[in-house]
Amino acid sequence: MFPTFIVICTILCLKSTHCSNETVKIDYDEDLVETLKVVNVIIRWIDGILAVTGCFFGNLFTYLTASYMQAHGQVNVASAIFLRWLAVADFLSGFWDGLVRAWLSLFDIKIEQMNVWFCKFGVFHNSASTRAAAYVLSAFTIDRCFALMAPIRYRNMTKVVTYARCMCIGAYVLAYLFASPKVYIMDINAKGKCVQSAEAHQTFSEYHKLFISYFALMFLPSAVIFFCNVVIIFSLRKTSSAKKSDGKNKQSNSVTRLLLSASFFFLICNICVTLCSQFTYKTTENELEVQIKNLFSGVSNFFSVSNNAANFFLYIILGPSFRKAFLQMCGLAGK
């Protein structure tokens, strides 16, 4: 309901504008601007709440539950490693977006605008941690796809732990490598805002934006996740129809269903983030346009934080084995 409410508000705002590509003339009611300001504040409060409940506590509980399941043989070691590394990446990304960027700005604390190094670090950290979460999820998807397509070979792998750790470390290294140009291109402008510097924009940022950011961050991980999930779904249906219900298969299928829920939520959120982000690049001084731009930016940030905050709740709702392990870890259920 909340995203629907935002979309309706946006449509009403856009209908109240009369724009052309060359000149912009906008007639608006001051009450509409004030309403948008209130909506933007509400979105930032929600982002902060999601950052604390989902990104911090949710990912902390995911990390601890995955470790508990591994220690008690309720999940294979590789899956536990992927769950933990994904929880760390989601925490780093969502906590920064939701708490540092959204919530602290409500109190006029804008860390990325304090000085040039905070600007560079903030944008670099956010970009790197977002990529890390996407890459670890892609690696986890590939792992589950291989486990379902070649279960005997997968179980007989002698270095599965090393293989899982290498994939996770590789995902983080690639993420921080692709995000490193942000340190070069970000700067504080004359108005005190953290933006791409004009010189870097001319020499590097267009290439980076078109080829590295969109391909490496959005298209490639999403394509891998979508393709592998299709294979996983068909493999699960084939396994179910063949009635292969031994303990190892049940354990593997349970983890795979957790992955599917996280993967599809990732795809939905990133589609929404991509669409909303297209309306945040325009520079304008008009108050209504500024608030509309802030609205799209806020909705984009909301979906980004939701993506990092939701996994624990998806696991609890859709994963009986994960839910049971969590309750056992908390002493609320028997063995």
Side-chain angles (χ1 to χ4, degrees):
M1 289 300 296
F2 180 74
T4 306
F5 169 70
I6 297 300
V7 171
I8 291 173
C9 287
T10 305
I11 293 172
L12 290 174
C13 294
L14 293 176
K15 282 189 174 181
S16 68
T17 62
H18 306 285
C19 308
S20 67
N21 290 331
E22 298 175 2
T23 27
V24 178
K25 274 182 156 188
I26 298 184
D27 303 320
Y28 61 87
D29 187 347
E30 289 184 1
D31 291 338
L32 182 59
V33 174
E34 293 302 317
T35 301
L36 286 174
K37 287 181 179 179
V38 172
V39 172
N40 287 327
V41 170
I42 292 173
I43 294 173
R44 282 183 283 174
W45 272 106
I46 292 174
D47 287 346
I49 293 170
L50 285 173
V52 174
T53 58
C55 297
F56 181 73
F57 287 107
N59 285 308
L60 175 63
F61 289 146
T62 297
Y63 189 98
L64 295 176
T65 306
S67 299
Y68 178 89
M69 294 175 74
Q70 177 185 336
H72 291 78
Q74 298 176 11
V75 68
N76 68 63
V77 179
S79 295
I81 290 172
F82 282 117
L83 285 171
R84 287 198 295 265
W85 282 72
L86 180 59
V88 171
D90 280 335
F91 162 75
L92 292 173
S93 178
F95 203 69
W96 183 270
D97 273 343
L99 192 70
V100 177
R101 279 186 166 177
W103 216 355
L104 293 185
S105 67
L106 290 169
F107 307 98
D108 204 28
I109 302 174
K110 299 179 180 179
I111 290 181
E112 291 180 359
Q113 297 180 17
M114 286 184 174
N115 61 54
V116 66
W117 291 109
F118 277 119
C119 168
K120 291 177 181 293
F121 171 78
V123 176
F124 165 73
H125 167 78
N126 181 67
S127 179
S129 56
T130 301
R131 284 174 167 83
Y135 295 165
V136 172
L137 186 59
S138 300
F140 194 10
T141 309
I142 294 171
D143 170 80
R144 289 291 86 207
C145 188
F146 177 54
L148 285 172
M149 293 184 67
I152 298 176
R153 185 178 177 185
Y154 181 84
R155 291 177 194 173
N156 292 333
M157 288 180 63
T158 56
K159 296 184 178 180
V160 65
V161 176
T162 303
Y163 140 81
R165 285 176 178 161
C166 287
M167 288 189 74
C168 290
I169 292 171
Y172 273 75
V173 170
L174 283 176
Y176 279 84
L177 181 64
F178 282 132
S180 59
K182 295 290 185 182
V183 178
Y184 168 70
I185 67 177
M186 301 309 296
D187 201 356
I188 300 289
N189 65 8
K191 295 181 180 180
K193 293 185 177 181
C194 182
V195 297
Q196 293 181 1
S197 65
E199 297 81 4
H201 183 82
Q202 294 295 326
T203 58
F204 187 78
S205 65
E206 280 301 313
Y207 174 83
H208 173 262
K209 175 182 171 183
L210 290 175
F211 293 96
I212 298 181
S213 286
Y214 284 98
F215 183 77
L217 174 60
M218 297 301 303
F219 176 76
L220 187 58
S222 298
V224 170
I225 290 170
F226 179 79
F227 174 76
C228 288
N229 280 343
V230 171
V231 175
I232 287 171
I233 290 171
F234 278 104
S235 297
L236 282 176
R237 291 183 63 182
K238 185 178 178 181
T239 302
S240 299
S241 63
K243 297 182 179 180
K244 297 177 181 178
S245 56
D246 60 274
K248 290 291 184 181
N249 274 320
K250 282 185 177 179
Q251 187 184 90
S252 177
N253 291 351
S254 177
V255 173
T256 303
R257 290 188 178 93
L258 295 183
L259 170 68
L260 286 174
S261 63
S263 298
F264 281 114
F265 195 77
F266 167 85
L267 293 173
I268 292 169
C269 286
N270 276 277
I271 289 171
C272 294
V273 168
T274 303
L275 293 176
C276 291
S277 297
Q278 304 311 309
F279 298 93
T280 62
Y281 296 116
K282 185 177 180 180
T283 303
T284 179
E285 299 296 330
N286 183 280
E287 183 64 22
L288 180 59
E289 284 196 326
V290 168
Q291 294 305 320
I292 292 174
K293 178 182 175 181
N294 290 343
L295 180 65
F296 277 112
S297 178
V299 174
S300 175
N301 200 63
F302 165 77
F303 280 111
S304 179
V305 176
S306 298
N307 179 43
N308 300 124
N311 283 353
F312 171 74
F313 303 104
L314 291 173
Y315 299 160
I316 288 291
I317 295 170
L318 302 175
S321 60
F322 184 92
R323 181 169 61 248
K324 181 180 178 182
F326 173 70
L327 293 175
Q328 288 175 345
M329 183 184 71
C330 297
L332 301 174
K335 298 296 182 182

